[in-house]
Amino acid sequence: MTTDVIALTEGMPDPWSIMAALLAGGPEPGVRTAGQGAVLQLCDPDGAPLVSVEAPLRMGVRGEAERLLGVPLADGTGWWTEIRAATGVPGAERLARAVAGRLTDLLGGAVWPPDASGDVPEAGGLVDVSGVTAAEPPELPAVDVLTGQAAVILQDRPLIAMTSLLSEALRTSADADRGLQIVTPGHSRLSLPTRSLLTGPPLRWVVRDERCGYYDGLSGAVLGWRDGTFAPVADAHGRTLVADAFREVDRSGERQLVVAFRTCLPASEDLVLGGAVEAAWQTLTGAPPAGWGSAEPAGLPWSREEATSLARRRSPRPTWLVVVGAPDRPAVATLRVDRTPEGVAEDVTLALGYGPGERPPVEALPELADTLASRSGLRSLVCHLRPARRDLSVPPRFEAPPVPVAFALGSEGIRSVGFGHAARAPLAGSPLRVGPPGRPGLYYPLGDGSSHGDGWAALERLTRHLRGAGRVTA
């Protein structure tokens, strides 16, 4: 089902290089732009798209190509060019590979996947497409099947990343009140940024399976193609069926530490964003982030100033970013920047991966809460430990839910509750004061993450106690 080919080149694919690669492919081709000018399409004489080439991305961060594709770049950096073949068009994939090969011949580098061969299967081999309307290529170059209910994207990669094309398809589908459904084979996994945006129906990860046909990679529900969308299949009693493949639990002993927090600072001309996520990275890994981007791959070297400049250009619309770490310590974060009446809010979810012999730095969490409360306008923070893959990818298998290990409120939340009430929380340990003396926040330890029931019970007691003050706490 491979429809995507990626050229990982040593030199920059300038417009002339891309045109030379495109025009080397077929007889009497035509070239046009799509995706608001960010995509070039090679079309047949009748105007039907054959191959789409996305604007090249600078890979200035070591390890991103290896994280997403399992293929290291020669010196750790280079250029990433997505080339997508039209689904179900005989020879389109071979043409996409020819375009990628031409780019690497001109500029040096490698093509992914190195061993892809054969034709792309007809769309009917994946879903029953009777009555399906083809997507308009200039508007949705990444979509393979479009109906009134869903936009369907077929992908076959080791890791389904939130690329700019996938992000644009998600946005466009939401604007049209359609669900986005990503169809993959069973060996594919999701990146954490992709997982964070698939928030549930009508957004679905659809996994092909030999035993049941299709199932939801996040819930395990067996799916069938019905009325222009993938939907759950029920048994004779009306209960949703769960795929056997989803029940295959991985007990590798790997874990993730997930830290989610919200900060808010007054808006000003000299405000530089990203200080909170940088502080979290430094506290928990001993180093700053390595890179960032508005999609994956996050190929730009970490720069708070450049991230701030992008957010300013997009304001008052929100800005969503991906932040990544060095290859030796798996760490990925999503950062959302919003303009609010109180100032500029940053919502961060940072995940760090650890193997069986590695100890997550839970003891550093009070220091992190103190730093965020002192410098970044912390509103709230919650930390979890969960049994999950060290590489931070999400498999189409059941994963145990996370266990809360800590919670914190900044000065705004504590003031709304009342410091005395907030400090008398019914927990085994006493909360710690964090932040400046005149505007204190509180950090609440909830356990060591070893007991699922104890962690969630402690968090429930805490939130019930804080809400008992009769005011909003965060």
Side-chain angles (χ1 to χ4, degrees):
M1 192 189 73
T2 301
T3 59
D4 297 344
V5 183
I6 298 170
L8 300 169
T9 58
E10 299 169 8
M12 175 183 176
D14 57 41
W16 293 111
S17 300
I18 296 174
M19 288 297 292
L22 282 170
L23 296 176
E28 302 181 14
V31 178
R32 67 185 180 196
T33 61
Q36 300 180 342
V39 177
L40 284 176
Q41 288 185 324
L42 178 66
C43 306
D44 67 14
D46 296 325
L50 301 172
V51 171
S52 299
V53 181
E54 192 178 354
L57 294 173
R58 172 70 171 136
M59 298 295 293
V61 180
R62 282 193 318 109
E64 270 297 88
E66 188 167 10
R67 177 177 75 89
L68 299 177
L69 299 176
V71 179
L73 293 172
D75 65 351
T77 60
W79 292 84
W80 172 302
T81 305
E82 295 259 355
I83 303 162
R84 183 169 174 82
T87 303
V89 178
E93 184 183 353
R94 290 193 298 271
L95 180 56
R97 286 180 56 77
V99 172
R102 178 62 171 159
L103 281 176
T104 55
D105 287 344
L106 290 171
L107 303 168
V111 174
W112 181 90
D115 58 350
S117 62
D119 295 329
V120 181
E122 296 291 335
L126 297 171
V127 296
D128 178 4
V129 292
S130 56
V132 169
T133 302
E136 290 294 332
E139 303 302 324
L140 293 169
V143 173
D144 296 287
V145 175
L146 189 70
T147 72
Q149 292 73 40
V152 180
I153 296 177
L154 314 178
Q155 292 217 325
D156 185 355
R157 301 188 187 192
L159 195 67
I160 309 303
M162 185 49 62
T163 62
S164 56
L165 278 179
L166 190 55
S167 176
E168 178 65 12
L170 181 64
R171 183 194 66 78
T172 307
S173 299
D175 290 345
D177 200 25
R178 286 189 181 95
L180 181 69
Q181 302 186 334
I182 305 170
V183 183
T184 77
H187 62 74
S188 294
R189 292 166 280 112
L190 302 185
S191 72
L192 275 183
T194 302
R195 170 64 184 93
S196 72
L197 295 179
L198 295 184
T199 53
L203 308 177
R204 284 195 189 276
W205 176 21
V206 181
V207 180
R208 295 201 319 277
D209 180 68
E210 293 181 356
R211 287 171 285 184
C212 69
Y214 301 92
Y215 69 92
D216 188 304
L218 299 177
S219 72
V222 174
L223 302 174
W225 181 256
R226 185 172 67 249
D227 299 328
T229 187
F230 282 100
V233 175
D235 63 15
H237 303 286
R239 295 171 299 200
T240 299
L241 298 172
V242 177
D244 291 338
F246 186 77
R247 303 176 192 270
E248 298 169 0
V249 179
D250 179 13
R251 303 187 188 280
S252 65
E254 298 177 341
R255 290 190 292 174
Q256 293 175 9
L257 174 63
V258 182
V259 181
F261 56 87
R262 180 179 178 88
T263 65
C264 189
L265 289 171
S268 65
E269 288 297 324
D270 57 354
L271 176 62
V272 180
L273 303 174
V277 69
E278 184 176 89
W281 230 284
Q282 190 74 47
T283 302
L284 299 176
T285 73
W292 74 286
S294 57
E296 292 180 291
L300 299 172
W302 174 246
S303 169
R304 292 177 57 193
E305 291 75 17
E306 291 181 10
T308 300
S309 178
L310 175 64
R312 286 186 186 278
R313 292 196 302 272
R314 291 184 174 179
S315 183
R317 294 174 298 155
T319 295
W320 184 87
L321 302 175
V322 179
V323 186
V324 297
D328 58 341
R329 165 48 57 214
V332 177
T334 58
L335 165 62
R336 179 185 168 101
V337 180
D338 280 291
R339 187 71 168 86
T340 72
E342 294 78 24
V344 180
E346 297 178 63
D347 287 283
V348 176
T349 300
L350 166 62
L352 304 100
Y354 301 89
E358 297 176 306
R359 185 168 178 267
V362 175
E363 70 282 353
L365 294 176
E367 177 188 348
L368 172 59
D370 183 64
T371 300
L372 296 178
S374 300
R375 304 177 189 172
S376 301
L378 175 68
R379 293 303 177 93
S380 63
L381 173 146
V382 62
C383 307
H384 296 89
L385 279 173
R386 56 177 304 188
R389 293 175 61 106
R390 182 182 187 273
D391 65 9
L392 304 176
S393 64
V394 181
R397 306 286 184 271
F398 173 79
E399 291 189 307
V403 181
V405 295
F407 181 81
L409 275 181
S411 60
E412 290 293 324
I414 294 301
R415 183 163 55 249
S416 68
V417 174
F419 185 87
H421 180 82
R424 293 191 297 271
L427 300 175
S430 300
L432 306 176
R433 290 176 64 119
V434 294
R439 295 181 294 108
L442 288 173
Y443 171 90
Y444 302 89
L446 300 176
D448 60 6
S450 60
S451 171
H452 178 270
D454 290 348
W456 282 106
L459 182 60
E460 183 180 1
R461 288 197 305 273
L462 174 61
T463 54
R464 189 186 306 119
H465 174 78
L466 294 175
R467 288 171 181 162
R471 290 177 286 270
V472 176
T473 62

